[in-house]
Amino acid sequence: MATVAATYLAAAKNQDCGLTRALAAKDGTWSWCSDPRLLSYTDVGRPFAVGKHSSPVPQECVRFTMTTTGSSDGSMPVGEEPWSLCFVHAAEGWRLYDQGQG
């Protein structure tokens, strides 16, 4: 899963929208593309499990610090903030399912 997370982050930073969409679960969260734009990321942590007690499906999450352009709708500020990407294991492999601050 750590390899998929690293691939996803690199694709988001490079605005590879096709790859971020391909690595996102069909019934999951939005995929990174250009709004907001991920400018950089650091401090990528080790994957950790999130069980069914906290989520409807088991997930593996990765925390990191990101810098973004902010979103056009104002829901995400410009600058640096902590973020997490959470992946589920689907038939086609690990796919982004959820994400958020912290």
Side-chain angles (χ1 to χ4, degrees):
M1 195 289 296
T3 301
V4 174
T7 300
Y8 188 92
L9 283 166
K13 181 178 179 278
N14 293 316
Q15 292 186 282
D16 185 341
C17 303
L19 186 52
T20 59
R21 284 188 199 109
L23 291 176
K26 291 176 179 53
D27 60 346
T29 187
W30 53 277
S31 60
W32 282 84
C33 189
S34 59
D35 184 22
R37 181 159 180 235
L38 179 67
L39 300 174
S40 65
Y41 57 91
T42 59
D43 305 323
V44 179
R46 297 176 67 129
F48 62 94
V50 175
K52 286 189 177 184
H53 65 281
S54 300
S55 167
V57 294
Q59 302 175 46
E60 293 277 328
C61 300
V62 175
R63 289 186 182 113
F64 60 99
T65 302
M66 67 177 184
T67 303
T68 74
T69 59
S71 59
S72 62
D73 67 3
S75 63
M76 186 176 289
V78 173
E80 186 178 288
E81 67 181 296
W83 202 254
S84 294
L85 297 176
C86 296
F87 296 81
V88 294
H89 196 265
E92 59 276 1
W94 289 101
R95 295 296 180 261
L96 179 66
Y97 181 79
D98 198 10
Q99 62 181 307
Q101 192 171 17

